[in-house]
Amino acid sequence: MTRFVGGPVRVSVPATSANLGPGFDSLGLALDLRDVLEGEVLAEGLVVEVTGAGAEAVPLDESHLVVCAMRTAFEALGAQPPGLRLRCENVVPHARGLGSSSAAIVGGLVLARALVEDGAAVLDDAALFELAARMEGHPDNVSPALHGGFTISGHDDDGFWTVRSPVDPRISVVVIVPPDGVATEVARGLLPDRVPHADAAADAGRTALLVAALAGRPEHLLRATRDYLHQDQRRPAMPASLALVDALRADGVPAVVSGAGPTVLAFVDGPEARDRLLGRCPEGWVAHALAISDDGARVVG
């Protein structure tokens, strides 16, 4: 019989950036910008409270993405609670290419598992990752949201897979977030069904170089982050973001569009480079200097 824990449980889950230039739908990075979710089993009903990013736009009922993820995990664990209270303290901006939906999905799954006694024995990280990737539709953001760090992930006939890869401790990032978002569906809708073989080969080479550059050869990050498959194609949806990427790269900064955009992410390898980038933030945008988070979603307190 499934037994629920008494009292509230809190989970912290990181923002993530996918693609990182050439690693389309395969590379992901956890960032030290974290949402906090708090859940508690009640005798009846559903209470959803949201503060921070997206609070004015998200539903406060069963259709809330965190609630959907929790219901999915409870089903896998064998029982739904009689009632549920959820509080979301959102920091990750919505519709900006920083993995807000993956944070909601992974955070909700981890929270539900933690609300069940011995939940991790029934639903381990491998099974939870599979649920998260199926909910999101692709694994590039949910993988670092769950596992932390830098991950390489994909899907084949055997299901979803993921591998962590090291990151040189000198490397951090600056994200420059525009005031208006772009829906992932809009950004994906601009991509062609077919790409030239030469462009695919160029992206494959840059992706392999990027794994090596992040692991300990940051001097290669500018070349390694050159993309041929998706960024220019998305320019109509985010012209200001691509203009900033172009300007930064012309100055030797390894800058990319974060995920489906429109946030711009740039790799830095020291405080001087970080401070220079913070000074390049356009008026009305918001810049954050962020460490790469070695931790994925975790129970806190």
Side-chain angles (χ1 to χ4, degrees):
M1 179 180 175
T2 301
R3 295 174 61 88
F4 298 103
V5 304
V9 172
R10 289 170 65 85
V11 167
S12 170
V13 58
T16 53
S17 181
N19 302 332
L20 308 178
F24 183 68
D25 277 3
S26 60
L27 301 186
L29 194 65
L31 305 175
D32 196 20
L33 186 72
R34 307 181 74 93
D35 287 346
V36 176
L37 312 177
E38 182 177 277
E40 184 176 12
V41 173
L42 303 178
E44 61 180 10
L46 173 67
V47 178
V48 180
E49 303 170 347
V50 181
T51 61
E56 71 288 346
V58 297
L60 302 179
D61 56 21
E62 290 284 349
S63 64
H64 190 284
L65 188 54
V66 174
V67 177
C68 293
M70 295 181 76
R71 296 300 189 196
T72 298
F74 285 133
E75 182 178 352
L77 289 162
Q80 295 288 343
L84 189 63
R85 180 184 67 83
L86 169 67
R87 178 174 174 79
C88 304
E89 301 169 13
N90 291 344
V91 176
V92 181
H94 288 200
R96 298 299 194 279
L98 288 170
S100 61
S101 64
S102 290
I105 290 169
V106 170
L109 293 172
V110 171
L111 181 58
R113 182 174 69 177
L115 285 168
V116 173
E117 290 187 4
D118 298 322
V122 180
L123 187 66
D124 63 13
D125 281 354
L128 193 146
F129 167 66
E130 183 79 15
L131 289 178
R134 291 191 182 281
M135 285 192 69
E136 181 75 324
H138 42 86
D140 51 351
N141 284 102
V142 298
S143 176
L146 176 61
H147 298 294
F150 172 48
T151 65
I152 306 158
S153 56
H155 181 265
D156 56 26
D157 291 342
D158 294 324
F160 292 97
W161 54 267
T162 186
V163 175
R164 268 190 60 146
S165 187
V167 178
D168 189 306
R170 294 173 291 176
I171 298 172
S172 62
V173 306
V174 170
V175 295
I176 306 176
V177 185
D180 299 316
V182 173
T184 300
E185 295 79 7
V186 172
R188 282 188 172 270
L190 292 170
L191 301 181
D193 293 332
R194 298 178 182 274
V195 298
H197 188 278
D199 287 350
D203 246 43
R206 295 305 199 278
T207 302
L209 179 61
L210 181 53
V211 173
L214 287 174
R217 301 294 298 275
E219 67 273 18
H220 294 294
L221 280 168
L222 181 61
R223 175 176 284 128
T225 49
R226 172 70 164 92
D227 164 68
Y228 293 82
L229 295 184
H230 67 98
Q231 292 192 156
D232 281 340
Q233 291 85 341
R234 288 169 163 167
R235 191 178 294 269
M238 54 195 84
S241 296
L242 268 298
L244 180 57
V245 168
D246 293 343
L248 292 174
R249 294 187 67 84
D251 292 338
V253 177
V256 299
V257 171
S258 180
T263 292
V264 173
L265 178 145
F267 290 102
V268 296
D269 61 359
E272 292 183 4
R274 177 198 64 207
D275 292 343
R276 285 196 302 270
L277 270 176
L278 291 173
R280 299 286 293 271
C281 181
E283 184 177 355
W285 297 38
V286 178
H288 303 277
L290 300 174
I292 294 163
S293 178
D294 194 54
D295 292 331
R298 62 175 186 260
V299 178
V300 295

